Amino acid sequence: MTGASAPAAPTGLVWHELYAWHNTGNYALVAPYGFPVQPGEHAENPETKRRIRNLLDATGLLKRLLAIEPREATDEELLRVHSREYLDRLRAHQDDLAWPVGNTAVIGRGSLAIAMLAAGGCIEAVDAVLDRRARNAYALVRPPGHHAKRDDGMGFCIFCNAAIAGMHALEVRGLDRIAFVDWDVHHGNGTQEAFWTDPRALTISVHQDRCFPPDSGLMGERGGGGGLGYNINIPLPPGSGNGAYEAVFDRVVRPALNRFKPQMIIVPSGFDAGGWDPLGRMMLSSSAFRSLTRKLLEAADELCDGRLVMTHEGGYSAATVPFLALAVIETMCGISSGVDDPFQPMVDGFGQQQLQPHQEAIVLAAERLLPGLD
Ligand SMILES: [Zn+2]
């Protein structure tokens, strides 16, 4: 995967226990509690992330990874993507017990510092890869980021972590071209917005058609000004499975990367396209995540010296998400933990896992966007 003579650097992992201390309160899934909604557990709770870290620990893989220490992002780093007014507003409310930010995001006491630690963790992952301390890196951060807008939080996200890390690569580390490949089941609207007119970034989002945000992520959203053509949305129909995603990656994502020639690939990585997720209606299994990761690693190896950073986004099925993440991280580091995903056979056996005609129509339409990159 890297140079033949020197031993390959390890895969990096960003994690901090404080990521699990961000408190989203007692919503019921995504609904604020209060009659008639019985208080429950917020979909974006710590378990889906902490259990990934725990499975890496239990399988022995954790000690084979390079621990990348996160730090809080600075105001200067946050302001490359967000407005001063938004940051001031967050600071004014940072001691509130639970305060809604925008549409469906929540901060609790201490959450602002944790959100800054999440954004800073993604920056550190980029630095570790650019400095070759890590061959590639997975930033297991929380809260997630890819819905956060310039002026507001959205969809459980406070800061647009991946975009902030990408801006760091461009503005501080001197890269000229970076590509985002967002496989979270929801549209990466925050990353799209951050680079809408910026031809230095190719933003690709593969997601469920109009799942969240509503009416966002359509194929006609292609960027503006100098960035026209450098935003590619592939809104797949609900029910898409391994075959549809394989086709999208082979026929749209990889050719787009080949044309754009990024110097680094950043993957806003959600596992809510998994077959058991409560907030998505897709059918990906761990075998699919393994295969898609392999395709991205091959692209990174051939185009940008293996530079690949994943930043954690959604994924809400606490029992199954850790096995999807294990498949991705095993593939990134080239080490098998020897642990099988107990949920994989059933998901792989779901009907219509192969590319279906109505999904093929979307792939064909997305292929027509590729000349926009020339
Ligand atoms: Zn999501």
Side-chain angles (χ1 to χ4, degrees):
M1 216 173 299
T2 53
S5 52
T11 289
L13 180 77
V14 176
W15 168 251
H16 197 294
E17 174 61 20
L18 279 176
Y19 291 148
W21 292 23
H22 163 54
N23 184 359
T24 44
N26 52 357
Y27 276 40
L29 204 60
V30 296
Y33 62 90
F35 187 82
V37 178
Q38 180 180 328
E41 189 173 46
H42 197 295
E44 207 294 287
N45 64 68
E47 274 303 281
T48 44
K49 289 76 185 176
R50 194 188 258 137
R51 288 173 70 113
I52 294 172
R53 188 262 173 214
N54 290 347
L55 185 61
L56 293 172
D57 191 0
T59 57
L61 204 61
L62 188 64
K63 57 179 177 288
R64 310 284 297 272
L65 305 174
L66 173 75
I68 299 172
E69 190 71 25
R71 61 168 173 85
E72 289 183 13
T74 64
D75 281 18
E76 184 183 3
E77 290 165 339
L78 298 171
L79 291 172
R80 291 190 187 115
V81 170
H82 298 284
S83 66
R84 168 59 74 183
E85 182 276 328
Y86 176 47
L87 197 51
D88 289 346
R89 188 152 37 97
L90 288 170
R91 287 223 163 88
H93 290 274
Q94 64 178 316
D95 292 327
D96 292 1
L97 270 179
W99 179 61
V101 185
N103 175 347
T104 65
V106 176
I107 61 170
R109 189 170 284 171
S111 288
L112 178 57
I114 298 171
M116 293 167 75
L117 194 66
C122 295
I123 292 172
E124 288 295 315
V126 163
D127 276 344
V129 170
L130 288 177
D131 294 339
R132 299 180 181 274
R133 286 179 280 125
R135 79 164 82 163
N136 48 41
Y138 196 99
L140 181 54
V141 301
R142 181 174 176 271
H146 73 152
H147 295 308
K149 301 183 286 187
R150 175 173 173 77
D151 298 312
D152 213 348
M154 189 182 204
F156 321 152
C157 303
I158 312 293
F159 296 126
C160 199
N161 302 320
I164 291 165
M167 282 294 189
H168 173 79
L170 293 168
E171 300 286 334
V172 179
R173 300 303 306 261
L175 299 195
D176 299 315
R177 294 180 313 283
I178 55 170
F180 296 85
V181 181
D182 186 328
W183 64 26
D184 187 282
V185 81
H186 306 107
H187 175 225
N189 61 290
T191 321
Q192 170 178 299
E193 180 193 59
F195 296 101
W196 184 252
T197 59
D198 194 339
R200 298 175 300 173
L202 168 64
T203 47
I204 303 174
S205 179
V206 189
H207 49 265
Q208 182 183 325
D209 187 14
R210 282 161 290 177
C211 181
F212 186 86
D215 298 323
S216 175
L218 303 178
M219 214 175 278
E221 299 164 22
R222 300 180 54 210
L228 180 63
Y230 295 97
N231 185 74
I232 296 179
N233 286 325
I234 303 124
L236 287 170
S240 295
N242 299 351
Y245 275 79
E246 296 269 348
V248 165
F249 273 64
D250 288 342
R251 291 165 50 187
V252 182
V253 174
R254 182 59 200 267
L257 293 171
N258 287 350
R259 287 171 190 242
F260 186 72
K261 298 185 174 55
Q263 294 161 308
M264 170 173 264
I265 300 171
I266 298 178
V267 179
S269 168
F271 293 105
D272 37 17
W276 297 87
D277 200 273
L279 300 194
R281 291 294 174 271
M282 300 306 215
M283 306 197 295
L284 292 187
S285 69
S286 54
S287 60
F289 275 105
R290 208 178 286 280
S291 170
L292 301 182
T293 303
R294 208 171 289 125
K295 293 178 195 299
L296 290 171
L297 287 169
E298 286 168 7
D301 276 347
E302 289 168 31
L303 297 169
C304 50
D305 205 18
R307 293 163 168 174
L308 178 73
V309 171
M310 298 209 188
T311 64
H312 195 75
E313 299 290 348
Y316 305 99
S317 168
T320 60
V321 156
F323 292 95
L324 305 178
L326 181 69
V328 167
I329 295 172
E330 278 186 355
T331 308
M332 288 176 77
C333 67
I335 301 170
S336 170
S337 68
V339 172
D340 292 331
D341 172 3
F343 303 99
Q344 180 189 328
M346 183 173 273
V347 179
D348 278 341
F350 284 172
Q352 304 195 0
Q353 274 290 14
Q354 307 80 8
L355 179 67
Q356 302 297 307
H358 65 298
Q359 299 159 356
E360 164 76 17
I362 301 297
V363 180
L364 273 171
E367 283 182 304
R368 292 191 204 108
L369 300 174
L370 292 171
L373 289 166
D374 292 337

